Amino acid sequence: MSNPAGGKKQMLKAAGLILNVENQDAVKYAEKASAFFHRHHILTFNPQTEECQIKPDLIVTFGGDGTLLIGARYAMEYDIPLLGINLGTVGFLTEEDPKHLEEALTAIINGQYHVEYRSLLHVVNNRTGDEYYALNDAVITRGGYARLIRVDVTVDRKEYCTFTADGIIVATPTGSTGYSLSAGGPIVEPGMNCMIITPVCPHSMQHCPCIVSEKADIRLLLKPEREQTAELQIDGQNMGSLSAGDTVHVTGTDRKISLIRLHPYDFFGLTRRKLSEWGS
């Protein structure tokens, strides 16, 4: 779903800039963006390393999709839109070419953009009560555990499968082109209201990804029948260890994340181009 910003000049007070500091191009373009915003009397700061008394009006990331996923956490926290400047290699989520940075930022302050809403996962570690939101995926992975892990998967409290695998991914349509795709999951158009369950390197004939409604109640139980450990990862970030008997609860949520779009978004054209690049 995409809505216009209205074509009116935006009264921006502050912008959060997220960047991959190990990428010199990211540092260079973030400095250019900061200088541009300052010329327009807009405060900038990096919410990863700096505190600001003013709530930012948008988040801009400089890097690849991984950097954008970091920025997404702050966009969710502040409930503000997110723009990705593409300095990575994949670029399914990042929107703008850095060569057109000033034109992009000018369009934003003039309100000349659309907002595209993407679905999120609501994830709960039932043992600790910790809650998370994921734009791409929630993953139970064996991490440093030497053996395959055994995970019971239920959907709406009905048994789906007990997987013996390196891990289990639950992805959004946005995340279908990420880790889930690498593990053999399907490509899903971002506007679909669903979740994708994909096992990672499953044993034997258990390779059976499944698409379920975003309203489904997914439970991932790390089987207590033997001593085993795993890690819970949210959008690629490690959120702690799991022990045998722990359950992770995943479902959809009414919360959305807002991606700034300056140009028409051709998902299928982008997917075709990226798959061709990877194939070569």
Side-chain angles (χ1 to χ4, degrees):
M1 182 184 297
S2 179
N3 286 337
K8 297 180 180 179
K9 192 175 183 67
Q10 304 294 289
M11 299 300 293
L12 304 181
K13 295 181 179 179
L17 308 183
I18 303 286
L19 63 148
N20 179 352
V21 295
E22 296 181 357
N23 184 326
Q24 292 304 308
D25 284 339
V27 173
K28 177 180 70 174
Y29 285 110
E31 290 174 347
K32 287 185 176 181
S34 183
F36 173 91
F37 281 126
H38 291 169
R39 290 198 301 272
H40 290 83
H41 310 291
I42 299 167
L43 178 68
T44 63
F45 70 105
N46 184 340
Q48 291 181 283
T49 59
E50 303 172 87
E51 293 186 4
C52 182
Q53 300 302 315
I54 301 175
K55 173 186 172 181
D57 299 292
L58 79 158
I59 296 289
V60 184
T61 68
F62 301 83
D65 284 352
T67 306
L68 185 135
L69 289 173
I70 295 172
R73 299 206 301 269
Y74 294 95
M76 285 185 267
E77 177 183 345
Y78 294 118
D79 192 23
I80 55 176
L82 173 67
L83 172 69
I85 305 300
N86 186 20
L87 296 167
T89 56
V90 179
F92 271 104
L93 294 172
T94 46
E95 160 75 7
E96 190 55 59
D97 188 317
K99 295 177 183 177
H100 306 296
L101 176 62
E102 187 156 329
E103 294 94 318
L105 299 181
T106 299
I108 288 172
I109 65 174
N110 287 331
Q112 298 170 340
Y113 63 90
H114 284 67
V115 173
E116 180 182 347
Y117 299 103
R118 293 290 183 93
S119 298
L120 301 171
L121 301 176
H122 180 228
V123 185
V124 179
N125 181 331
N126 286 1
R127 175 173 56 83
T128 64
D130 292 334
E131 299 183 57
Y132 312 96
Y133 289 93
L135 172 58
N136 255 17
D137 49 40
V139 181
I140 291 182
T141 174
R142 68 184 178 93
Y145 183 66
R147 302 167 60 187
L148 300 179
I149 56 175
R150 286 178 55 79
V151 182
D152 263 348
V153 180
T154 61
V155 179
D156 291 333
R157 300 190 181 275
K158 298 180 177 64
E159 184 178 355
Y160 168 44
C161 188
T162 297
F163 288 101
T164 303
D166 278 352
I168 303 292
I169 304 165
V170 181
T172 63
T174 297
S176 73
T177 52
Y179 190 13
S180 178
L181 179 61
S182 299
I187 294 173
V188 179
E189 195 274 325
M192 297 291 290
N193 298 320
C194 65
M195 298 180 285
I196 305 103
I197 304 170
T198 307
V200 182
C201 297
H203 185 272
S204 187
M205 300 297 290
Q206 286 189 328
H207 187 80
C208 45
C210 180
I211 298 175
V212 301
S213 166
E214 70 173 355
K215 296 180 181 180
D217 181 328
I218 300 172
R219 307 278 174 139
L220 309 175
L221 167 65
L222 194 61
K223 293 279 283 186
E225 64 190 25
R226 66 182 183 185
E227 292 186 10
Q228 56 178 340
T229 60
E231 295 176 357
L232 174 61
Q233 296 179 351
I234 304 295
D235 285 343
Q237 302 297 307
N238 190 358
M239 296 302 173
S241 298
L242 301 171
S243 301
D246 286 352
T247 300
V248 175
H249 178 203
V250 185
T251 189
T253 173
D254 290 336
R255 288 188 66 179
K256 306 289 183 183
I257 198 162
S258 306
L259 297 182
I260 291 175
R261 294 299 186 199
L262 302 171
H263 316 288
Y265 183 65
D266 180 5
F267 171 73
F268 294 104
L270 176 62
T271 301
R272 185 175 63 253
R273 187 167 67 253
K274 294 300 177 183
L275 292 179
S276 297
E277 290 174 1
W278 294 339
S280 61

